[in-house]
Amino acid sequence: MTYRAPVKDLLFCVKELAGIDHVAQLPGFDDAGFETAQAVIEESGKFCDGVVAPLNWSGDQNPAKWNNGVVTTSPGFKEAYKSLAEGGWLGVHQPTDFGGQGLPKTIGAACIEILVGSNLSFSLCAMLTGGAAEALITAGSEELQQRYLPKMIDGTWTGTMNLTEPQAGSDLALVRSKAVKQGDGSYRISGQKIFITYGEHDMSENIVHLVLARTPDAPEGVKGISLFVVPKFLVNEDGSVGKRNDVFCASLEHKLGIHGSPTAVLVFGDNKGDVGEGAIGYIVGEENRGLEYMFVMMNAARYDVGMQGIGLSDRAYQKAVEYARDRVQSRPVDGSQPGSAAIIHHPDVKRMLLTMRALTEGGRAMALVGAAAYDFAHHSPDAEVAKQNKAFYEYLVPLIKGYGTENSVEVASLGVQVHGGMGFIEETGAAQYYRDARILPIYEGTTAIQANDLVGRKTARDGGAVAKTIAAQIADLEGVLAGRESAAGKTLAKRLKAAREDFLAVVDFVVANVKAKPNDVFAGSVPYLFLASHLVAGWQMARALIVAEDKLKAGEDTEFFTAKVATARFFGDHILTRTASLRAAILEGADSVTTLPADLF
Amino acid sequence: MTYRAPVKDLLFCVKELAGIDHVAQLPGFDDAGFETAQAVIEESGKFCDGVVAPLNWSGDQNPAKWNNGVVTTSPGFKEAYKSLAEGGWLGVHQPTDFGGQGLPKTIGAACIEILVGSNLSFSLCAMLTGGAAEALITAGSEELQQRYLPKMIDGTWTGTMNLTEPQAGSDLALVRSKAVKQGDGSYRISGQKIFITYGEHDMSENIVHLVLARTPDAPEGVKGISLFVVPKFLVNEDGSVGKRNDVFCASLEHKLGIHGSPTAVLVFGDNKGDVGEGAIGYIVGEENRGLEYMFVMMNAARYDVGMQGIGLSDRAYQKAVEYARDRVQSRPVDGSQPGSAAIIHHPDVKRMLLTMRALTEGGRAMALVGAAAYDFAHHSPDAEVAKQNKAFYEYLVPLIKGYGTENSVEVASLGVQVHGGMGFIEETGAAQYYRDARILPIYEGTTAIQANDLVGRKTARDGGAVAKTIAAQIADLEGVLAGRESAAGKTLAKRLKAAREDFLAVVDFVVANVKAKPNDVFAGSVPYLFLASHLVAGWQMARALIVAEDKLKAGEDTEFFTAKVATARFFGDHILTRTASLRAAILEGADSVTTLPADLF
């Protein structure tokens, strides 16, 4: 067994927590209720388990190769991408206008988890293409949309995001690539971009680069950045590919993980193609508004990277459980068995596995509830409902990204630990997840960048209003839980209450001090992100507990719901309890972060 | 700059916290006071910075190679090992009888941190040799000692520990290798051992394997294991090496990290050498007492592996600080500067760096205080003092090992994060520490094994007496801190008090429940290890704070002591505060670990 898509838990979250049948009542989603979700998610699981997952380890061991500008991807990737496209999996929640299926994000996000869980490196090509498509849908002219989107969604072409330059990582104000307008309205682009995922490869007949660059008279900083489409091959009037554009791959990076994903250095304007000097590009939207459009794409990408963390966590969990069931070592501490037992019977192994499981399920529940909020925000005919859901979704994005990815590092590390010495041997496979996971809290905005967003745009800007709305909903749920008969319900009520109080104290601190003492607030920004995430994920696990207990009473799927109750309870006792320490560090620990001068480190 | 031995902080810990001048008053350590410590540690730093550290990255990129049983180590390793031996660095705290320098462990341990920090993979050969020597010193016959020890300590030969077999990792009861006694008193050994660090290599003229195996009539389980010396080449009467013994390296493992360290599969008794079938071995001590002897060696090794975590953490910290000083990105959140700033000025980067620094310094302080306790335990003429120190040291060993190594994973991971995208690029070097660190919480006993030791032998056996003695000393220190003028002192007093109360509650829980509810106690064993470690390390940081504040008042080394005060304070606010969450998880979270049946994971 390499990977089995967690179809059952995805469907549980989609149905019981995200409320797909409510989502399906929104205009445009007529047939997209639970039955559709079930059909799509099950089919996605079958496809990814069968076609994509088996290429995960081989892709790690046989990375993409660069030879004189030409990149050959890992064996099987090209064919699998073709199958992925043919199955319609690239367009699950893309608009039907351009060949997508137009399904809710609530369903699309579940499919994304399955794709990334089955093969993170492989999945990135599809995800970047989706992000590039999203930017074109948002801001591209009709001509650009018609010319590029259908072929990106049907898999004939792929897309990339070209943001980073050597001196411009998190700080896009420092972008230097140039774009000079030509007589025909096109631009000539020159400059160097690094860390371009699938920036060059052999999986499609063309690559549609979306590139941030500056026009000669642009203002300094982020207000002078424009967004361009720069295709690897120019597109002829009839839609066929034509001349080779002046953008070339100078090298691929030698990375810690995601070896199957080629990370390119791209050089624009070295006069190497068939078009003369300067890569030909086409403006997306208006000049100097590039960052704004890119943010649309980045917000979608941030959500998806959160899902990458969750998918990878599930895979690491599955692997660790399998090993823990097979590996026989040492007698049980309670003497319940005379000889050595499978290590899954040892309490600390259970604790590690449950930590992995709780973080994964909590992250998933939060992310899928977020997806439903996105669907309401974009499709609800009620402006107030749409607005509330938009605010809620936007609050969740840094949590989904930051928490899902940081947790994947913890989960993958625990996965290695469960394997003992075998975990350190590459052929076992657990180490790959540990290597792969490490990029997730970095790309598409580091955890600190997510936390800045959470503090600034998502908390301070509205005076903590959205945060307090969330807290109020949690308080209501505490009442429901406390009134239930089960010990688990009462315990979770207590845990949620304590965590919520920690959260509110921190929100107040952030709102009160962000202007007067910004260093103090940002010294605790990442701990705040964790605290908020534990709470929101714990809230969803508590909702899951209620459903699961009721289903158990009704005699439904005893195994699944017993495990759900246990996992929710574990989340309460072992994850929600982490908030007390975070609160203290945030409220009382700022001075000890900021006092030491930089030269004394 | 690749690595600079943290000589100043090591000397601070050795002098002010471990009290080397008291240690030097013990019989046998006459000249080993602060001046000796300073000379040795500074010299060690110069040697390792200059000779050993530069081979760290090249060793990672050019791992040892296997070819038909012959192993060629990474370029430069052989020559560096020769220099290490010639400098006397292999015998720093080995007995003078066999060519060692006979210095206190308090000094030897500091040298070990420097060696591992400069090059973890390289250091393992020396450390395993030291461990093997320790077993021979403990239980070997005089003949074995005279024949093997001097050449192991002078670097002509190296040593290994052969414990693990495919079915026997943490659980040595499952060892199957066989030893059959011959007419001449020697034994013939057969079997397969895996994960043998430096089990085969080209750095010395002979390799002295210490091997666990069973005699034909041995009792089952750990009570039937004996320990043997099995040299790669038999040793002639005149001490020269003779016939090739029947032990061969079948392969090297392909590992996540420590690539420079060859990890061998060794096959004993395949009739491939010059001695007929079965590797010739010599019993160490008595039959069936092998595990007992091995434990002596393992306890020394566990301490050293804790030091590996600390050394690696310091290296990762140094690298991250260097990058954070150089990398310019984004404006300060407080608007103190119009353009982009070096990222070390951003609060979250400071928080990450201080977390790395505090965990490293806290672990180091605890470990060196432990080393002094070892010296008192083994050298004090006062039996009561020796006994108390032995108990204290033994309590600390699982903490030093578990905490030092788990922290190194957290620290190395933060180190990658500080580097952003560059951290994921192998050539940057930060990723190597993240890969290397991952083995440390696994080998020489996983963290769970350390925690079992802490719960069983170190806490339950004496009814928590040693733990409570530690708590009482901390309570005394709280009084001292609370009476000081500084805000930092008062805050640390508060933090220590809270952590100590958490600790005592957990110790009581462990003692009260370990027999009746072992699963509940062991469900919290690793969290207990962390809690105890935070407290003991925090205690040492609080002692450091007092010294540092007084030195500052006296106008001594303002930079160093200002940083020490800040780090101690950060430890209080951001690390000691972690105990509240651990306490809750331990005392109230056992059910949620143990309830879920193994087949529902």
Side-chain angles (χ1 to χ4, degrees), chain A residues 166 169 171 254 256 327 329-330 334 340 413 417 424 426-427 434 438 441 495 519 574 577 581 588-589 596, chain B residues 166 169 171 254 256 327 329-330 334 340 350 413 417 424 426 434 438 441 495 519 574 577 581 588-589:
Chain A
D171 188 359
H254 173 215
L256 170 62
R327 175 72 170 170
Q329 202 78 175
S330 301
D334 62 3
S340 301
S413 183
Q417 188 72 18
F424 203 64
E426 284 286 3
E427 285 75 8
Y434 177 75
R438 200 64 202 73
R495 300 282 181 229
N519 285 323
H574 292 260
T577 44
S581 303
E588 302 172 37
L596 190 66
Chain B
D171 188 358
H254 173 215
L256 169 61
R327 175 74 170 168
Q329 203 78 174
S330 300
D334 61 3
S340 300
K350 283 193 169 185
S413 183
Q417 187 73 16
F424 204 63
E426 284 286 2
Y434 176 75
R438 199 63 202 74
R495 300 281 180 230
N519 284 323
H574 292 259
T577 44
S581 304
E588 302 172 36

Side-chain angles (χ1 to χ4, degrees), chain B residues 24 33 51 69 109 111 147 204 348 381 398 405 433 461 509 524 545 560:
Chain B
V51 176
C111 295
R147 181 161 295 188
S204 64
D348 189 64
T405 61
Y433 312 142
R461 187 180 285 177
F509 170 81
L545 175 92
F560 178 78

Side-chain angles (χ1 to χ4, degrees), chain B residues 515-537:
Chain B
K515 285 210 173 133
K517 299 179 184 171
N519 284 323
D520 285 15
V521 170
F522 286 97
S525 60
V526 169
Y528 166 39
L529 183 148
F530 274 100
L531 197 165
S533 301
H534 291 320
L535 177 65
V536 173

Side-chain angles (χ1 to χ4, degrees), chain A residues 584 588, chain B residues 474-475 478 490-506 531 535 572 576-581 583:
Chain A
E588 302 172 37
Chain B
I474 293 169
E478 289 162 24
K490 289 186 202 304
T491 305
L492 255 176
K494 182 176 105 176
R495 300 281 180 230
L496 276 178
K497 181 168 187 288
R500 177 176 53 81
E501 287 169 357
D502 293 337
F503 173 73
L504 284 171
V506 167
L531 197 165
L535 177 65
L576 268 175
T577 44
R578 295 182 184 180
T579 63
S581 304
R583 173 191 183 155

Side-chain angles (χ1 to χ4, degrees), chain B residues 18 20 23 26-27 29 92-95 102-109 112 130-131 133-135 137-138 295-304 366-382 385-397 400:
Chain B
I20 187 65
V23 172
L26 294 169
F29 289 154
V92 173
H93 78 110
Q94 302 291 2
L103 290 171
K105 188 180 178 86
T106 309
I107 297 174
I112 286 175
E134 191 121 358
I137 290 167
T138 305
F295 255 107
V296 172
M297 184 164 153
M298 272 179 20
N299 268 325
R302 285 174 178 184
Y303 180 94
D304 289 352
M366 175 164 76
L368 288 171
V369 165
Y374 176 95
D375 288 327
F376 276 95
H378 286 76
H379 291 264
S380 176
D382 181 330
V385 169
K387 189 181 153 199
Q388 283 171 4
N389 276 282
K390 182 164 185 283
F392 179 51
Y393 176 72
E394 289 186 346
Y395 187 88
L396 289 190
V397 169
I400 292 165

Side-chain angles (χ1 to χ4, degrees), chain B residues 52-92:
Chain B
V52 183
L55 301 176
N56 182 60
W57 169 247
S58 60
D60 183 74
Q61 294 299 297
N62 304 283
K65 289 190 176 62
W66 181 96
N67 181 19
N68 197 24
V70 175
V71 172
T72 309
T73 49
S74 305
F77 274 34
K78 187 174 177 173
E79 296 74 17
Y81 197 76
K82 194 154 180 271
S83 303
L84 187 78
E86 285 169 357
W89 298 111
L90 293 173
V92 173

Side-chain angles (χ1 to χ4, degrees), chain A residues 57 61 165-172 174 194-195 253-258 317 321 325 327-331 333-334 340 344-345 347-354 357 406 409 412-414 416-417 420-427 431 434-439 441-442 446-449 452 494-495 518-519 522-527 558-559 562-563 566-567 569-570 573-574 577-582 584-586 588-601, chain B residues 57 61 165-172 174 194-195 253-258 263 317 321 325 327-331 333-334 340 344-345 347-354 357 406 409 412-414 416-417 420-427 431 434-439 441-442 446-449 452 494-495 518-519 522-527 558-559 562-563 566-567 569-570 573-574 577-582 584-586 588-601:
Chain A
W57 169 247
Q61 294 298 299
E165 300 177 6
Q167 78 294 345
S170 297
D171 188 359
L172 292 172
L174 302 176
I194 62 168
F195 297 165
E253 303 291 358
H254 173 215
K255 307 188 300 294
L256 170 62
I258 53 166
Y317 170 73
V321 168
R325 284 215 178 95
R327 175 72 170 170
V328 172
Q329 202 78 175
S330 301
R331 277 186 300 179
V333 290
D334 62 3
S340 301
I344 199 169
H345 294 288
D348 189 65
V349 173
K350 283 193 168 183
R351 185 191 61 82
M352 290 194 279
L353 293 175
L354 277 162
R357 183 181 179 112
E406 292 278 354
V409 176
S413 183
L414 285 170
V416 174
Q417 188 72 18
M422 289 306 296
F424 203 64
I425 306 300
E426 284 286 3
E427 285 75 8
Y434 177 75
R435 289 189 284 100
D436 285 357
R438 200 64 202 73
I439 191 58
I442 294 172
T446 63
T447 306
I449 298 286
N452 285 356
K494 183 176 104 175
R495 300 282 181 229
N519 285 323
F522 286 98
S525 60
V526 168
T558 313
E559 294 197 351
T562 299
T567 307
R569 199 172 156 190
F570 182 91
D573 290 343
H574 292 260
T577 44
R578 295 182 184 181
T579 63
S581 303
L582 294 166
I586 299 164
E588 302 172 37
D591 279 355
S592 63
V593 173
T594 56
T595 304
L596 190 66
D599 56 345
L600 295 191
F601 273 79
Chain B
W57 169 247
Q61 294 299 297
E165 300 177 6
Q167 79 294 345
S170 298
D171 188 358
L172 292 172
L174 303 176
I194 62 169
F195 297 165
E253 303 290 357
H254 173 215
K255 307 187 301 293
L256 169 61
I258 54 167
T263 303
Y317 170 73
V321 168
R325 283 213 179 96
R327 175 74 170 168
V328 172
Q329 203 78 174
S330 300
R331 277 187 302 179
V333 291
D334 61 3
S340 300
I344 199 169
H345 295 287
D348 189 64
V349 173
K350 283 193 169 185
R351 184 191 60 82
M352 289 193 281
L353 292 175
L354 277 162
R357 184 181 178 110
E406 292 279 353
V409 176
S413 183
L414 285 170
V416 174
Q417 187 73 16
M422 288 307 295
F424 204 63
I425 305 301
E426 284 286 2
E427 284 75 8
Y434 176 75
R435 289 188 284 99
D436 286 356
R438 199 63 202 74
I439 191 59
I442 294 173
T446 63
T447 307
I449 297 286
N452 284 356
K494 182 176 105 176
R495 300 281 180 230
N519 284 323
F522 286 97
S525 60
V526 169
T558 313
E559 295 198 350
T562 299
T567 307
R569 200 172 156 190
F570 182 91
D573 290 344
H574 292 259
T577 44
R578 295 182 184 180
T579 63
S581 304
L582 294 167
I586 298 165
E588 302 172 36
D591 279 355
S592 63
V593 173
T594 56
T595 305
L596 191 65
D599 56 343
L600 295 191
F601 272 79

Side-chain angles (χ1 to χ4, degrees), chain B residues 120-140:
Chain B
L120 177 59
S121 288
F122 175 79
S123 76
L124 297 180
C125 190
M127 291 182 56
L128 270 293
T129 302
E134 191 121 358
L136 285 176
I137 290 167
T138 305

